[in-house]
């Protein structure tokens, strides 16, 4: 498929992985609301949400880079969205560390996991996103 064909194709056909992710998020949201009981978010839920936000952050960054040369105004809007999604991911990361860890019954040994303790994976993902946002965004952009 050539780039011109992709421009004319519906978004669902061009980006099937994005459509699948959106469907997964909708399913998760419906499952949360179907219980009828408001439950506070736990660490796994916040970790999954952070993973989605950082993936969306990368996707918007790509879209902004590809759009900016041909359509500067649209590129600026995407750059703003890029910063806002980063702010959301940063807040979710902070919330993750404020939620208490699940009670350990003594059988879990995170030091034995090849990727390290579970709380470090969100931090590693967040650190990678920090590097990406600092390359392209100033502190003033993030504060505005």
């Amino acid at each position: 498929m050539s780039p011109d064909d992709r421009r004319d194709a519906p978004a669902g056909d061009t980006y099937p992985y994005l459509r699948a992710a959106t469907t997964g998020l909708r399913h998760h949201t419906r499952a949360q609301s179907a219980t009828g009981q408001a439950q506070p978010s736990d660490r796994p839920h916040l970790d999954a949400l952070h993973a989605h936000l950082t993936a969306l952050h990368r996707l918007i960054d790509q879209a902004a880079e590809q759009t900016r040369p041909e359509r500067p105004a649209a590129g600026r809007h995407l750059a703003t969205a890029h910063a806002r999604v980063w702010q959301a991911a940063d807040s979710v990361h902070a919330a993750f560390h404020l939620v208490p860890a699940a009670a350990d019954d003594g059988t879990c040994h995170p030091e034995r996991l090849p990727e390290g303790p579970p709380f470090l994976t969100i931090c590693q993902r967040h650190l990678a996103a920090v590097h990406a946002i600092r390359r392209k965004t100033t502190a003033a952009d993030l504060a505005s």
Side-chain angles (χ1 to χ4, degrees):
M1 182 179 273
S2 74
D4 292 330
D5 293 338
R6 274 186 259 148
R7 245 183 244 143
D8 297 334
D13 296 332
T14 307
Y15 304 106
Y17 58 90
L18 184 58
R19 185 182 41 190
T22 302
T23 302
L25 286 171
R26 285 183 187 145
H27 172 74
H28 182 72
T29 303
R30 270 185 251 131
Q32 286 278 333
S33 62
T35 61
Q37 299 175 353
Q39 297 177 6
S41 294
D42 56 1
R43 280 183 156 199
H45 181 241
L46 293 175
D47 185 31
L49 183 57
H50 186 268
H52 282 293
L53 286 169
T54 53
L56 181 60
H57 182 257
R58 285 190 308 270
L59 183 63
I60 291 174
D61 183 40
Q62 256 182 349
E65 287 298 314
Q66 293 167 353
T67 303
R68 192 174 289 123
E70 287 184 34
R71 297 176 184 90
R76 283 191 299 275
H77 281 288
L78 288 170
T80 300
H82 180 252
R84 299 302 176 258
V85 170
W86 161 251
Q87 290 169 335
D90 192 41
S91 294
V92 169
H93 180 252
F96 175 89
H97 286 293
L98 294 175
V99 171
D104 190 341
D105 62 359
T107 58
C108 179
H109 298 283
E111 68 278 1
R112 295 183 189 163
L113 297 173
E115 67 275 5
F119 68 88
L120 289 180
T121 56
I122 188 174
C123 294
Q124 291 168 346
R125 183 184 328 114
H126 195 69
L127 187 59
V130 166
H131 290 300
I133 193 73
R134 288 197 177 157
R135 279 194 327 261
K136 298 180 180 189
T137 310
T138 65
D141 290 337
L142 293 175
S144 66

